[in-house]
Amino acid sequence: MYNAEDNATKVNGHEDDAGSAEGAKNADSTRDGIEEDQNADHVFQVTVKLPHEPYEVQVMVSTQEQVQDLRQSIVELPSTFQYTCFHLEHNGEPINDFVELSDVKGLSTQPQLTLIEDPYTEKEARMHVIRIRDLVGATGNRIDTVHGISAGLSLYDSVASPELLRSPPASNGKVSKPSESDLVQSMVDYDFDASPSIQSILPSAYTPAPKTVKSIYVSAWNPPPHHLRQRGHLLYLQITTNEGEQHQITSCVSGFFVNRSSNNKFDPNPRPHPKDATAHSLLSLITKISPSFNNSFAALQEYNNKKDPLATFQLSNTLPSNPWLVSSSESSLAMHQPDITRTQETYLMSGIDSTETLREWNEEFQSTRELPRETVQDRVFRERLTSKLFADYNEAATRGAVMVARGEVAPLNPTECKDAHIFIYNNVFFSYGADGVGVFTSEGGDEAARVAVGKDVTGVRAVNQLDIPGLFTPATVVVDYMGKRIVGQSIVPGIFKQREPGENQIDYGGVEGRDVVAENEAFVPVFSKLSKALRIKTHPVWDKEGAKHTLEGSVETKGLLGTDGRKYILDMYRLTPLDISWLEENWASEVKEQADSKDNSYPHRMAVLRPELVETYWRLRMGEYVKNQLKGSETPHNGIRNNQDNIAHNKPSEVNGEICSDDESVANQQDRESSTQQDRVDVSGFDLAFNPDVFCGQTPKLKEDQEELTRDEKEVKEVCSYLQDTVIPELVEDLKEGEVGFPMDGQSLSRLMHKRGINLRYLGKLSTLTKDQNPRLGALHALAIQEMVSRAFKHIANRYMGKVPALFAGSCYAHLLNCLLGVEYNRNPKVQIDDDLRSLYPNADWSYADATPQRLAEDIQGQVRIRYRYSLGLDWTSNLKHVQLLREIALKLGLQISAKDFKFSAQAGGSPTATEQQSTLSSANVSRVNGNHVNGSNGKKKKKIVEHDLHSHASDTDLMDLVTFDPDDIVNVVPVVKGACPKSVLAEEALEAGRMSMMQNQKDLGQELLLESLSLHEQIYGILHSEVARVYHHLSMLYYQLDEKNAAVELARKAVVVFERTMGVDSDETILSYLNLSLFEHAAGNTAIALVYVRHALELWKIIYGLNHPDSITTLNNAAVMLQHMKLFHESRHWFEKSLQICEEISGKQSVSTATVSFQFAQALALDQDPKGAVNHMRDAYNIFLTKLGPEDRNTKESESWLEQLTQNAVSIAKHAKDLQARRLRRVQFNPRVTMRTHPQPQVGQSSGDVTSSREARGNIGLDSRSIEELMRFIEGGGDTSKRSSSKKQSATKNPRSRAGGMLRGQA
């Protein structure tokens, strides 16, 4: 199930017109560089001498590592936890932390270093305290505005808990294998049609970690007075040990010691003997003052070691995933623990004036881009620093954006309208994604501005990925939070500079829209490289005076020469042309007089084509050109000849930072094959690029300019037609035929469409093409409608929430959810709002309180109609999947909802009567602040409050039962972040080099390069990153194919945990990772454990999709095979039966897919001693194969052979049911290899060509001359029609394969 979408070589970022030929060359050069790098690399063991026990440790290092890497290894070793402030010496000479170990003279011949403890500074002392607090488990739960509740959650440890996976130790002390009967019982009794259980995505209750100390925090005597600072005092701490003793600690330059202070008396001098204690490390000091600390600390380490290390490491290079469903605030998992140091952490991390975390973001980014990139080591260091810098910036900018949205940052221009406000916080420039100054008035106003900033961050990512020397971009992030879209950018030097009269504020491109256009020859070289890579045509534009200007990019894309001398590119939201076909059909401009057409118009004119589509179309035309050049050749190249036919099936490679699919491995291979032939073809005559400024009001004066513009417009219209007439229908056809993995949820559907270059505005067209089609497309139709509804709800909720104070987010979101998802339970939900708090915000817009289910349904229908050009049916609300739609909405809005038994219908808990509603609302109309009732001055109100207090528990319960969602259910809102971090080109090239070697059957070299790619990914991204998880996934599949099962299992486990923490515990990639892990565990002989993973994946599948997903047939078959492996033949038949049922519903009873599943089901029935049923289903399979594939097809012949043997066995049983022949039947050898085969789950969007590695050979099996119908009549009680009883021995054959359904295909 390897997802190669993020691991294909980037082709459109290179200069060569041959596209991926350059990518292949880069991969080759990277492979050569890595091989040289490996030869230069040397791994050896270093002995580090320590000042305290155990006095020395051994560490394995590489010559390529820096000294700081060795320092980090020492800090993380259990025997050297206490060291944080030290330096290393070799032969008495200090070593610079930032040099490579290979540069340390004599280290390879004398690998011995000495650790020397350094004196502390105040900063190092604070960092040491933070480190020790984390190490000894003294930190409480942290409250963070960026990281939500249970951020970075992993469920792997609870799913695969030792208590579940292991039996109690035997008498000899050894741990036995899992109890198969206990583990598989849940699979035997599994209810396929049960409603999804939300407990599947919630962490289970856990045993609290052992306490090592009661508290460690900064003392009230801190900071030291001036005269004591002169004596070296840095901090004052207070520690309460498990024995209940309080100790005041002084941190000084030499270490830590217990002082004489108390809570009321200040005396920071050391305690006298025998109560004195001093140590260089705080950890060593605690050991001296707390007798129980060593034992409790050892217990804590043992407790932590029970968890997967990847589940406990802190995410540092990416934002963690925030689960949409969290444990109730009353549960033990959400208990708020007291910890005074929470308020002190800012001081500990940033210093007393909080200036240590202030960073000059722009200078850091641009300086990193200017680092050398000549050698592999240079590139690793540069990309590693870039990845870390983007992660730090995204977190800082997101934190600032949340504060801006909450109104906690003062604007720089408070006199202007709110949408035009700008802010600076933490050296990040913030603005709203709204048309505050009227730039987008003619394009759609606020709607256009909101889309433009989203396109801009995508454009910044594209330019960052191209990494053009001399062209710089501001760090950019877009944050959606509580209805507001906020853009955070690094401050470009000179952007606020006041220019001289007559000077333009911008140096290249449009200055004031299209009215004033600036040209600057200094920008032409770098912009031309960008244009060539993105297929942008050099074209003329005209300003308001009619003057002609030639630009290398869109007139909207601007160049600014910063005061630091660097060339910056800004406003990259128009790197591709407009989707003019869509706009001509659906956009009504202001000048049109028809009001009704304007009301039904698309919301904005920022509908541009996706760069993936532009790249795909460019490849198509390039293939046509080369094909024409090769006409007349004696041996035309297959790769070129088939290019045009296959282009629509090949998803584009990585374009503008977007991910690409597994089909890209095939596409790249074709490109590499064609590159040799292209070298013999003159491609200089091929020049295809697109003018992004067509259909934007350009008015050329000269005839030749008009003709050129007309040609440009024609090219763009051809791309638009190609999208609507070819790309979208072929995606539908591929999903219909099962040629690609089926999407599970809105996110996977969006990714699949984007890979094909399809904008989400075409969801309506996708729904229209799949309406009233076969059941498989019906599933896609329902998924597309669900995505449109959830996105429409997001826009409506943002409209309401953007004008409401953040305090009322729970009330707003809960009421809107009640009007959409709770209407079957309560058709007239009332908004729950605190009137006292409401009165404090007289200028707020409370229109959300007037929302009703009918009005919301009409709004959603209207949004779907204008945004997706699709009309929802009258009964669309009755066909909603409540849990799945709730999840989609929560993920899009950043909601974290408290887990409970949601009542979506009257049957869920009894619908309240009108009288009950009124009485409950009356009794509950009381002011509440933080859950507490507040008394007012009105006498009637006091009386009402008294009545409520008497029945507080009852009324609260009634109120919660009255509606599906209570405001308290919305426990948190987290920001939804879009960043511009590029992918590592070096790591991708290394991965591609390994894949090329594997394709060339150089397995040893390929495996070595793939491992090197994994090492590069881990070095550049850190271990906890989604890109690393995908490489884990790819390598696990490789080892599985190489029959190295244990290695495959280990890598698959890592992929599961990292996907859970970075993509979400219920993401589609997490589910597929669990399914493949189950296959690897089964192959390694751990079938019972594999079944546990299968069950968990199925439960997750129910939550994100619902019942009977088309690709679940593969999973059900795999589970059935696993049960057969455990000799549970009767239990396995139920799983095959369910698989067959789904297959018949999705593909039809006469499909090849159904025949394939019937074939396996017949084998299962035979193993379960049901010969009659086996013959019936094998006959069904044979008839379908015969009809669909013909008598000469291998599948037809194989099913006929099986039918012959099964029929003979059935006849034998029918004739000799009452004698010993029944026992002999049990000895009949059915070939188990067909039944016992499992298949990796197909990836979403993965084509069938990538799933299988070889074709089965067609066997020549003799046909049965007897009449099947006559034999069946005998089995069913008719006369004896044949005396022939001899049977042919079944030859070992492989399982029939489905060419159309794609359900049972494996995955490469």
Side-chain angles (χ1 to χ4, degrees), residues 368-386:
T368 302
R369 290 180 62 85
E370 292 172 336
L371 288 173
R373 60 181 89 178
E374 282 74 23
T375 66
V376 172
Q377 293 91 336
D378 290 340
R379 295 176 67 184
V380 169
F381 179 76
R382 182 174 180 269
E383 294 187 359
R384 177 182 181 181
L385 188 59
T386 299

Side-chain angles (χ1 to χ4, degrees), residues 1164-1228:
L1165 293 175
L1167 291 172
D1168 194 31
Q1169 307 301 328
D1170 184 358
K1172 180 178 177 180
V1175 171
N1176 285 333
H1177 284 282
M1178 189 61 71
R1179 181 177 57 177
D1180 292 342
Y1182 167 74
N1183 289 335
I1184 296 173
F1185 284 141
L1186 182 64
T1187 303
K1188 297 290 185 179
L1189 305 180
E1192 299 303 317
D1193 187 85
R1194 176 193 175 282
N1195 294 329
T1196 306
K1197 293 181 178 181
E1198 187 173 353
S1199 60
E1200 183 182 31
S1201 175
W1202 271 88
L1203 180 61
E1204 174 189 355
Q1205 181 179 352
L1206 291 173
T1207 305
Q1208 291 171 351
N1209 291 330
V1211 170
S1212 178
I1213 292 176
K1215 290 180 62 177
H1216 308 286
K1218 294 185 179 180
D1219 69 23
L1220 298 179
Q1221 290 298 327
R1223 293 196 197 119
R1224 189 170 63 187
L1225 176 66
R1226 296 190 185 99
R1227 294 194 296 271
V1228 172

Side-chain angles (χ1 to χ4, degrees), residues 1237-1271:
R1237 184 180 177 186
T1238 56
H1239 305 264
Q1241 192 72 28
Q1243 178 76 8
V1244 174
Q1246 184 185 14
S1247 72
S1248 59
D1250 294 326
V1251 173
T1252 56
S1253 57
S1254 63
R1255 297 286 181 185
E1256 289 87 343
R1258 295 180 180 271
N1260 295 320
I1261 303 175
L1263 299 179
D1264 188 0
S1265 59
R1266 292 170 293 171
S1267 168
I1268 297 175
E1269 285 73 13
E1270 290 178 350
L1271 292 173

Side-chain angles (χ1 to χ4, degrees), residues 852-893:
T852 63
Q854 181 180 0
R855 187 177 303 170
L856 180 61
E858 292 172 354
D859 282 351
I860 290 176
Q861 286 178 293
Q863 289 289 324
V864 170
R865 183 177 64 255
I866 66 173
R867 292 182 184 277
Y868 307 105
R869 322 314 292 181
Y870 185 79
S871 178
L872 295 173
L874 297 177
D875 60 342
W876 68 272
T877 55
S878 60
N879 297 325
L880 298 177
K881 297 179 180 178
H882 294 92
V883 174
Q884 290 74 29
L885 183 56
L886 174 63
R887 174 181 177 271
E888 295 289 351
I889 290 172
L891 291 176
K892 289 176 174 58
L893 293 175

